Amino acid sequence: MERIKPRTLSGFMELLPAPQTQFERMLEKLRATYSLYGFIPLDTPIIESAEILLAKGGGETEKQIYRFTKGDSDLALRFDLTVPLAKYVALHYADLAFPFRRYQIGKVYRGERAQRGRFREFYQCDIDVIGDGKLDISNEAEIPAIIYQAFTSLGLERFKIRVNNRKILTGFYAMQGLAEQSGEIMRTVDKLDKIGPEKVRALLVEGGVAEAAADEILKFIAITGENEEVLAALEGYRGRDPIFDQGLDELGTVVKYLGSFGVPADHFAVDLTIARGLDYYTGTVYETVMLDHPEIGSICSGGRYDNLAEYYTDKKLPGVGISIGLTRLFYVLGEQGYLNDDLVTAPADALILPMTEDLSAAIAFATQLRQAGVRAQVYGEQKKFKGKMSYADKLKIPYVVFLGEDEIANGVVKIKDMTTGDQQALSPAEAVQTIADAMAQRAAGKPIREKD
Amino acid sequence: MERIKPRTLSGFMELLPAPQTQFERMLEKLRATYSLYGFIPLDTPIIESAEILLAKGGGETEKQIYRFTKGDSDLALRFDLTVPLAKYVALHYADLAFPFRRYQIGKVYRGERAQRGRFREFYQCDIDVIGDGKLDISNEAEIPAIIYQAFTSLGLERFKIRVNNRKILTGFYAMQGLAEQSGEIMRTVDKLDKIGPEKVRALLVEGGVAEAAADEILKFIAITGENEEVLAALEGYRGRDPIFDQGLDELGTVVKYLGSFGVPADHFAVDLTIARGLDYYTGTVYETVMLDHPEIGSICSGGRYDNLAEYYTDKKLPGVGISIGLTRLFYVLGEQGYLNDDLVTAPADALILPMTEDLSAAIAFATQLRQAGVRAQVYGEQKKFKGKMSYADKLKIPYVVFLGEDEIANGVVKIKDMTTGDQQALSPAEAVQTIADAMAQRAAGKPIREKD
């Protein structure tokens, strides 16, 4: 038979079993966190009508889309989870209760140029709260708490959530008489980290901003410090533009509730340089950075928008949402050696090695283990003892259970802790308890462990 | 703005939040069950090179495949999880330990003619055990235990796992001198349930089978009864064909271990009419039927095969696996009214209604609930009391928590059980405990509840 060389497409992450287990554990933690905050899981098709997905049209995204026909249908693969959400809410509007809070964790597709660390198929892990006509600012205040809890549950410690409010920016530029140019200015200001304030100022003046206004802009974006200090500095601008004042009130509310939401002050910063998705976000915007790896960019971003589904319905549906690009984050964590290898990545907690031809006793003990929630596998292959043990070693199975004629006759099982090498003969019930306790302890670890 | 009418493609299941929650719960149960038996989760790309997916080529499937080009690449969406598994094992052979036990739960794509209850995008929930060169019969014996545990964990009670062994069929037809025609004969025999034995006999004879052989075939497939009775009857054929004898030994082993695996005898039957995937399966084959709904067909099928990845590698990789088509099963369960509506389908266990302008106390209490694992939502919208309560009603949220100035002053929260209507004022800690206990009790229910 002629054989085809097996391969996986480039830009598609396909993990070996051990890292896949680590990835799954991260998915579980995110599902659990999102659920705790009252978000319901949603699942939408990966294929949609191209007309629906491209309703907004144009832009860089369109070129990257996987689009094809099947029969008479013009189809495409979803490239994010926001457009399908917009369609979903517009389509099922009458059946939903608002605010509608959903999370969705799923794969999306972008045919980008393949390069290291960039993926064409990747998981997005999104939450959104959608209002019907209006949506209270308290929803925007809650988002940093969810971001904080999500990353903390994963084990990440050294990160910071940066927050801004688009109304403050819009209002500030209006004060300067620069409302028209504000988009361009924000794109220039966004380069601050890379090129420094001097060059930003030069670019602004080059772009037609008056010297005095450029100085005002640099003074404004230089406002930093503790949250209360930033808010106090911003108060100095109050009363000159109603949009600015509204944004400042909103930012004050977001900062005010942080403590009640359990977000430590050092994990949060107001940052006036953040703008994000200029034509989409209208209120609070969020970015999250790893303190030791700013080069990675934001690992969780989002914001408040005014009109989720304007391409599908005349209903006004404001919302606020965030997204974690888990595939890329997982890749980076792996590269940095941040994945916690103490967590069990074996398919089973206990491997039972029957030493008799009749497997009944081994199977019965495996059944007993499973009833206690212990993941158990009976090794039934005809192999030498050494081969069986090397199977357990290769998979890093935490416990091996020996069941020979002696053990069966004495009503015991012999268990070996593969980490310590300790062996003990115990009654089946004791053995189950010992393994279950050890596994519960190990399961308390978190997927991410930053380096010391 | 010109609007596009929102729609979801036909043949694609898109659930409302409450049924989606029920579906997710089923996914969780299957993940948990598969894990308990020592299977590791796997995730492979939804898009593969068409050359890889179609290596086997031809057949009905090819017409249904979503195939398209992107740049120079000839791509296709996976139509099952078996072909990607074959590719995976061939590609990563050197990094895997055998037997390799994986589960995969994911969407697959088949562009079938859309009709009620048929889906173009659907979940398959698969397990497979892959051996390197050989694989012990005990793996085949374990499969019915996993099927039993999977459906039991979902709450299904009235089902039966039917098992046969392809070697018994092959051997039997060889005894009759009908080895060549056995494929065609089995397809005719498969119609037994629909057309009855008389017509099957007529068709066999019409197809060239001698009258005497046709009688032998009908006598053979009429062997039914308790497992021990069927095995005893099959013993009558022993010694006439080595393949038959081997199959009978294997079937005996599968039946023997059922008890140790915890499978009740009444959920299992040897059924000599089952053949399945004629050119693929070589040993034990499985089907699972709902006793009250035989018209649905098998809800979990699979079997033993000898060569998983022959299109990609010259390594011999025998295996055994099963698949549950969860999307269709879920659809059928919903149609039959079998989904357990007692389980919570709300996005939150507790909805907190703040009665003060400052939300700090409400947010702090929500944080306390979440720390105890209770899914909590603060309702921050500016609405009348009636509107807030109707939100809780519409979403079927189990508990509503009232927090007004009086409660805050007295250090209590008022909780309302939305099922009974009972209200009580409790300390925050008592309230958290009350809600957590009630939710734990309700979570013990299973997703499926058959009708009385």
Side-chain angles (χ1 to χ4, degrees):
Chain A
M1 181 182 299
E2 207 192 322
R3 297 214 160 77
I4 290 164
K5 191 164 181 269
R7 65 189 176 92
T8 298
L9 293 167
S10 86
F12 288 69
M13 181 180 270
E14 183 172 81
L15 299 168
L16 285 171
Q20 184 67 50
T21 306
Q22 297 174 310
F23 190 87
E24 296 286 329
R25 206 171 263 131
M26 292 179 70
L27 289 177
E28 267 168 45
K29 294 282 185 192
L30 291 179
R31 282 195 289 261
T33 301
Y34 290 166
S35 292
L36 276 180
Y37 284 83
F39 292 84
I40 203 137
L42 214 67
D43 188 12
T44 62
I46 283 175
I47 309 178
E48 300 266 8
S49 156
E51 179 192 51
I52 295 285
L53 281 191
L54 296 169
K56 194 175 178 177
E60 264 307 294
T61 322
E62 188 154 355
K63 273 186 274 169
Q64 302 177 349
I65 286 177
Y66 288 89
R67 183 174 180 173
F68 52 92
T69 53
K70 176 85 182 166
D72 299 332
S73 306
D74 181 8
L75 306 173
L77 304 187
R78 65 186 182 201
F79 54 89
D80 71 8
L81 301 176
T82 304
V83 176
L85 172 66
K87 179 217 73 178
Y88 184 93
V89 176
L91 180 58
H92 303 293
Y93 174 82
D95 293 311
L96 302 177
F98 293 90
F100 173 58
R101 298 161 71 92
R102 82 88 175 81
Y103 77 82
Q104 183 163 5
I105 294 179
K107 289 176 169 179
V108 304
Y109 297 82
R110 294 187 196 173
E112 292 192 81
R113 202 164 60 81
Q115 49 181 310
R116 217 172 143 65
R118 301 291 265 182
F119 297 93
R120 291 172 169 169
E121 175 187 70
F122 57 97
Y123 276 92
Q124 285 197 333
C125 309
D126 285 19
I127 52 170
D128 285 271
V129 184
I130 313 297
D132 184 9
K134 52 187 183 173
L135 187 69
D136 193 78
I137 180 68
S138 58
N139 294 286
E140 288 165 61
E142 190 180 38
I143 295 288
I146 304 171
I147 298 174
Y148 173 74
Q149 197 52 51
F151 287 116
T152 302
S153 78
L154 293 177
L156 202 65
E157 291 175 7
R158 295 187 41 73
F159 66 93
K160 189 164 276 194
I161 304 159
R162 291 190 186 149
V163 171
N164 195 5
N165 190 301
R166 287 296 309 276
K167 293 193 182 82
I168 289 179
L169 299 183
T170 305
F172 170 77
Y173 290 111
M175 281 178 217
Q176 310 301 326
L178 296 167
E180 299 283 305
Q181 301 102 297
S182 66
E184 200 188 330
I185 295 173
M186 284 188 246
R187 271 186 286 273
T188 306
V189 165
D190 196 41
K191 296 174 186 156
L192 186 70
D193 280 351
K194 280 191 195 147
I195 64 176
E198 297 295 314
K199 286 194 176 147
V200 166
R201 188 180 182 284
L203 281 176
L204 287 174
V205 173
E206 217 171 277
V209 175
E211 301 258 344
D215 288 335
E216 276 294 323
I217 292 169
L218 284 175
K219 189 181 133 200
F220 180 77
I221 59 177
I223 298 173
T224 53
E226 300 295 312
N227 298 328
E228 296 308 326
E229 291 165 2
V230 173
L231 287 173
L234 291 174
E235 282 298 333
Y237 295 85
R238 191 184 281 279
R240 294 164 57 188
D241 182 275
I243 300 287
F244 180 94
D245 294 355
Q246 198 191 336
L248 184 51
D249 289 341
E250 290 179 2
L251 187 60
T253 302
V254 170
V255 170
K256 173 186 165 186
Y257 288 132
L258 283 179
S260 314
F261 273 123
V263 181
D266 65 349
H267 278 68
F268 181 92
V270 175
D271 185 333
L272 299 177
T273 65
I274 292 174
R276 295 211 75 79
L278 293 175
D279 51 353
Y280 188 58
Y281 293 121
T282 54
T284 313
V285 287
Y286 315 88
E287 285 188 3
T288 312
V289 288
M290 288 171 70
L291 294 180
D292 302 322
H293 296 284
E295 77 281 3
I296 294 164
S298 176
I299 57 173
C300 177
S301 313
R304 153 87 188 210
Y305 42 87
D306 274 349
N307 227 332
L308 173 71
E310 57 182 331
Y311 300 99
Y312 313 118
T313 175
D314 53 8
K315 294 266 185 304
K316 193 164 173 265
L317 300 168
V320 59
I322 49 167
S323 182
I324 298 176
L326 193 65
T327 302
R328 178 163 155 74
L329 176 61
F330 183 82
Y331 172 83
V332 167
L333 292 169
E335 290 283 297
Q336 297 295 340
Y338 276 21
L339 296 173
N340 181 0
D341 285 328
D342 283 353
L343 295 183
V344 177
T345 56
D349 304 320
L351 182 72
I352 299 153
L353 301 191
M355 308 298 204
T356 54
E357 204 185 327
D358 186 316
L359 304 180
S360 302
I363 293 169
F365 184 62
T367 304
Q368 215 176 326
L369 282 167
R370 290 170 189 141
Q371 279 159 358
V374 175
R375 301 174 307 140
Q377 178 187 343
V378 176
Y379 190 92
E381 308 311 304
Q382 311 295 322
K383 281 243 177 175
K384 296 218 172 94
F385 182 75
K386 209 177 144 185
K388 294 178 182 179
M389 289 305 284
S390 91
Y391 180 77
D393 272 334
K394 190 166 179 188
L395 289 175
K396 297 187 180 157
I397 294 176
Y399 283 91
V400 169
V401 178
F402 307 106
L403 252 179
E405 280 175 23
D406 287 355
E407 285 81 16
I408 295 170
N410 296 326
V412 298
V413 298
K414 201 181 279 172
I415 68 173
K416 177 172 182 171
D417 180 329
M418 297 292 282
T419 314
T420 63
D422 293 347
Q423 289 196 37
Q424 40 184 339
L426 298 171
S427 76
E430 285 170 335
V432 169
Q433 198 57 50
T434 302
I435 299 173
D437 289 348
M439 298 320 299
Q441 207 178 332
R442 290 186 65 165
K446 291 177 175 179
I448 300 175
R449 186 175 51 194
E450 284 157 299
K451 282 182 183 157
D452 304 324
Chain B
M1 179 184 295
E2 207 190 323
R3 299 214 157 77
I4 289 163
K5 192 165 181 269
R7 64 190 178 91
T8 298
L9 294 166
S10 86
F12 288 69
M13 181 181 272
E14 182 172 81
L15 299 168
L16 284 172
Q20 184 65 51
T21 306
Q22 296 174 311
F23 190 86
E24 296 288 327
R25 204 172 263 128
M26 292 178 71
L27 289 176
E28 267 168 46
K29 294 282 184 191
L30 291 179
R31 282 195 290 261
T33 301
Y34 291 165
S35 293
L36 275 179
Y37 284 82
F39 292 83
I40 203 137
L42 213 68
D43 188 13
T44 62
I46 284 176
I47 309 178
E48 301 266 8
S49 155
E51 180 193 51
I52 295 286
L53 281 191
L54 297 169
K56 194 175 178 176
E60 263 308 293
T61 323
E62 189 155 353
K63 273 186 274 170
Q64 300 177 349
I65 286 177
Y66 287 89
R67 183 174 181 174
F68 52 92
T69 54
K70 175 85 182 165
D72 298 334
S73 307
D74 181 8
L75 306 173
L77 303 187
R78 66 187 181 201
F79 54 89
D80 71 8
L81 301 176
T82 305
V83 175
L85 172 66
K87 179 216 73 177
Y88 184 94
V89 176
L91 179 60
H92 304 292
Y93 175 83
D95 294 309
L96 301 176
F98 294 91
F100 173 58
R101 298 161 71 91
R102 81 87 175 83
Y103 77 82
Q104 184 164 4
I105 295 179
K107 289 176 170 179
V108 303
Y109 296 83
R110 294 189 196 172
E112 292 192 80
R113 202 164 61 81
Q115 49 181 307
R116 218 174 142 65
R118 301 291 264 184
F119 296 94
R120 291 171 169 171
E121 174 187 70
F122 57 96
Y123 276 91
Q124 284 197 332
C125 309
D126 284 19
I127 53 171
D128 285 271
V129 183
I130 313 297
D132 183 11
K134 53 188 182 171
L135 186 69
D136 194 76
I137 179 67
S138 59
N139 294 287
E140 290 166 61
E142 191 182 38
I143 294 287
I146 304 172
I147 299 174
Y148 172 74
Q149 198 52 50
F151 286 116
T152 302
S153 78
L154 293 177
L156 202 66
E157 292 176 7
R158 295 188 41 73
F159 66 93
K160 189 164 274 194
I161 304 160
R162 291 190 185 149
V163 171
N164 196 6
N165 190 300
R166 286 296 309 276
K167 294 193 181 81
I168 289 179
L169 300 183
T170 305
F172 169 78
Y173 290 111
M175 285 178 212
Q176 310 302 325
L178 295 169
E180 298 283 305
Q181 303 100 298
S182 66
E184 199 188 333
I185 294 173
M186 284 188 246
R187 271 186 286 274
T188 306
V189 166
D190 196 40
K191 297 175 185 154
L192 187 70
D193 280 350
K194 279 192 195 145
I195 64 175
E198 296 296 313
K199 287 194 176 147
V200 166
R201 187 179 185 287
L203 281 176
L204 287 174
V205 173
E206 218 170 276
V209 176
E211 301 257 345
D215 288 335
E216 278 294 324
I217 293 168
L218 284 174
K219 188 180 137 201
F220 179 77
I221 58 175
I223 298 174
T224 53
E226 300 294 312
N227 297 328
E228 297 307 326
E229 292 167 359
V230 174
L231 288 173
L234 291 174
E235 282 297 333
Y237 295 86
R238 191 185 281 279
R240 294 163 58 188
D241 182 274
I243 299 287
F244 180 95
D245 293 356
Q246 198 192 336
L248 184 51
D249 288 343
E250 291 179 0
L251 188 60
T253 303
V254 170
V255 170
K256 173 186 165 187
Y257 287 132
L258 283 179
S260 313
F261 273 123
V263 181
D266 65 350
H267 279 69
F268 180 92
V270 175
D271 184 333
L272 299 176
T273 65
I274 292 174
R276 298 212 70 81
L278 294 174
D279 50 354
Y280 188 58
Y281 293 120
T282 54
T284 313
V285 286
Y286 315 88
E287 285 188 0
T288 313
V289 287
M290 288 171 69
L291 294 181
D292 302 322
H293 297 283
E295 77 282 5
I296 295 164
S298 176
I299 56 173
C300 176
S301 312
R304 155 88 187 208
Y305 43 88
D306 275 349
N307 227 333
L308 174 72
E310 58 183 329
Y311 300 100
Y312 314 117
T313 176
D314 54 8
K315 296 265 185 302
K316 193 165 174 261
L317 301 167
V320 59
I322 49 167
S323 182
I324 298 175
L326 192 63
T327 302
R328 179 165 152 74
L329 177 60
F330 184 81
Y331 173 82
V332 167
L333 293 169
E335 291 281 297
Q336 298 294 340
Y338 276 20
L339 297 172
N340 181 0
D341 285 327
D342 283 351
L343 295 183
V344 177
T345 55
D349 303 321
L351 183 72
I352 298 152
L353 301 191
M355 307 302 204
T356 54
E357 206 186 323
D358 186 318
L359 303 180
S360 303
I363 292 169
F365 184 62
T367 304
Q368 214 176 326
L369 282 167
R370 290 170 189 141
Q371 280 160 357
V374 176
R375 303 175 305 142
Q377 178 188 344
V378 177
Y379 190 92
E381 309 310 305
Q382 309 297 323
K383 280 241 179 178
K384 296 222 172 90
F385 182 75
K386 211 177 144 187
K388 295 177 180 179
M389 290 305 286
S390 91
Y391 180 77
D393 272 334
K394 190 165 179 189
L395 288 175
K396 296 186 183 160
I397 295 176
Y399 282 91
V400 169
V401 178
F402 306 105
L403 252 180
E405 280 175 22
D406 286 355
E407 285 82 16
I408 295 171
N410 296 326
V412 298
V413 298
K414 202 181 278 172
I415 66 173
K416 178 171 181 172
D417 181 328
M418 296 292 282
T419 315
T420 63
D422 292 345
Q423 288 195 37
Q424 39 183 341
L426 298 171
S427 76
E430 286 170 335
V432 168
Q433 199 57 52
T434 303
I435 298 173
D437 290 348
M439 297 321 299
Q441 206 177 335
R442 289 186 66 167
K446 291 177 175 178
I448 300 174
R449 185 176 51 195
E450 285 159 299
K451 285 186 182 152
D452 303 324

